[in-house]
Amino acid sequence: MAKTIESSELIINSDESVFHLHLKPEQLADKIILVGDPARVDLVAEHFDSIDFTVQSREFRTIGGTLRGERIMCLSHGIGPDNIDIVVNELDALANVDFATREVKDRRRSLQMVRIGTSGSLQPDIPVGTPVIAVKSIGFDGVLNYYAGRDEVADLGYESALCSHTGWNPLWARPYVVASDPGLVDQIGRDDMVRGNTISAVGFYGPQGRELRLPLANPDINSRLESFSYDSQRITNYEMESAPLQGLSLLMGHRAMTVCSIIANRMNGNATPNYRTAVEDLIATVLDRFVS
């Protein structure tokens, strides 16, 4: 018997679109580019051969169209892991729930999601402007810990070693470590991209070891993260969304990965706010490899 989802759990708008994204099932494409900034959606869509629709709701902006004969869409998720929880769940509902009956479909539809973002390097030899693929993502946000099956998709050995090495603060959410889709990594990644281990932080300042006026509970956390290695894999960079994206996708049967342009080096203390050209180049490269 098919599972039926109550209206309080999956809110469907009066126009039959999903609650936050305001997308309708028939608008969903199997190939999706995710970006944080709503303005960046237009940079991606400039590469489309045709545009079929544009939808804007809060920070969630979507443009759908075609590229090289394939349907594709770009969606902005805003900032932070909580937004990823909304985006992935609602995209999955569009794909795998019958909005007329509210029943989960028998046949599952798998989406391909590539997030293009910006990030801060945790290694002195990864300079500003470098694209880094999150082959593994380390979630400091705790989102995946709310879902059954979390341990089945996570690297528990990596988690334990990281907690031991850093003296993990018990007040923080337990970190989870999840892999990106290896097929997408091979498709998008080349020798012009670093394959790394990326932290998804729950905030931009204190949660990433930035100290402004407020002192930090663990001021040496970044130096401990820089020195950590597991199976010869070091932690390369910070951002805020890759781990929940990859973790939820693994649980739901979707394929996902993240690639970020480094805009700051936390160990060297340098950054550039003028990163638009690097991001535009990365967008063009990803689209060329994502849609063949």
Side-chain angles (χ1 to χ4, degrees):
M1 186 175 180
K3 178 180 180 180
T4 301
I5 301 176
E6 298 291 340
S7 59
S8 61
E9 310 308 288
L10 174 63
I11 300 173
I12 298 174
N13 300 316
S14 59
D15 64 353
E16 299 183 349
S17 65
V18 73
F19 186 50
H20 294 93
L21 304 185
H22 279 249
L23 292 172
K24 299 177 182 180
E26 61 268 23
Q27 293 175 314
L28 183 66
D30 288 335
K31 291 192 172 183
I32 303 168
I33 296 291
L34 297 172
V35 294
D37 184 354
R40 204 171 291 160
V41 175
D42 296 272
L43 293 178
V44 176
E46 287 177 358
H47 296 268
F48 293 177
D49 297 326
S50 65
I51 292 177
D52 299 326
F53 67 87
T54 300
V55 175
Q56 177 84 46
S57 174
R58 306 185 192 188
E59 63 265 55
F60 308 113
R61 177 173 174 81
T62 308
I63 297 178
T66 59
L67 178 60
R68 298 172 186 163
E70 292 191 46
R71 293 188 66 223
I72 188 170
M73 54 190 280
C74 181
L75 186 157
S76 62
H77 50 69
I79 297 176
D82 50 340
N83 280 14
I84 296 296
D85 183 62
I86 290 171
V87 167
V88 176
N89 272 286
E90 293 196 359
L91 288 174
D92 180 74
L94 288 165
N96 293 307
V97 176
D98 186 321
F99 275 30
T101 64
R102 293 185 165 276
E103 291 183 349
V104 175
K105 297 175 182 178
D106 292 332
R107 186 173 181 179
R108 297 292 190 270
R109 180 179 174 186
S110 179
L111 306 174
Q112 299 179 53
M113 294 175 277
V114 177
R115 190 180 95 76
I116 302 172
T118 55
S119 183
S121 172
L122 275 168
Q123 298 295 335
D125 61 331
I126 301 179
V128 169
T130 305
V132 177
I133 293 175
V135 175
K136 284 191 176 180
S137 287
I138 307 147
F140 285 5
D141 51 271
V143 166
L144 207 67
N145 299 343
Y146 290 89
Y147 292 91
R150 170 250 197 252
D151 285 0
E152 281 67 48
V153 300
D155 188 332
L156 303 183
Y158 193 122
E159 294 172 10
S160 295
L162 177 65
C163 288
S164 177
H165 179 83
T166 58
W168 192 254
N169 190 327
L171 295 176
W172 299 343
R174 171 133 184 126
Y176 59 93
V177 180
V178 288
S180 58
D181 181 83
L184 281 178
V185 170
D186 288 342
Q187 182 178 343
I188 302 298
R190 300 286 191 277
D191 57 7
D192 55 352
M193 297 181 184
V194 171
R195 299 194 180 197
N197 287 204
T198 299
I199 293 171
S200 288
V202 72
F204 185 78
Y205 289 98
Q208 293 188 35
R210 287 184 170 94
E211 183 173 326
L212 303 185
R213 285 204 317 113
L214 292 178
L216 301 177
N218 293 74
D220 64 342
I221 185 62
N222 283 354
S223 62
R224 295 192 181 204
L225 293 171
E226 179 203 4
S227 63
F228 175 73
S229 178
Y230 183 78
D231 282 347
S232 301
Q233 303 170 43
R234 59 182 183 164
I235 296 175
T236 49
N237 57 312
Y238 262 128
E239 47 85 84
M240 298 174 64
E241 293 90 13
S242 64
L245 170 63
Q246 293 171 193
L248 290 173
S249 295
L250 284 169
L251 289 176
M252 295 176 181
H254 302 301
R255 302 174 61 201
M257 65 162 284
T258 291
V259 56
C260 288
S261 179
I262 297 297
I263 66 170
N265 189 295
R266 301 298 305 284
M267 298 299 105
N268 296 336
N270 62 337
T272 174
N274 303 314
Y275 51 83
R276 180 184 172 108
T277 299
V279 171
E280 288 178 340
D281 290 344
L282 184 57
I283 288 169
T285 298
V286 168
L287 285 172
D288 183 59
R289 297 172 184 177
F290 191 35
V291 182
S292 57

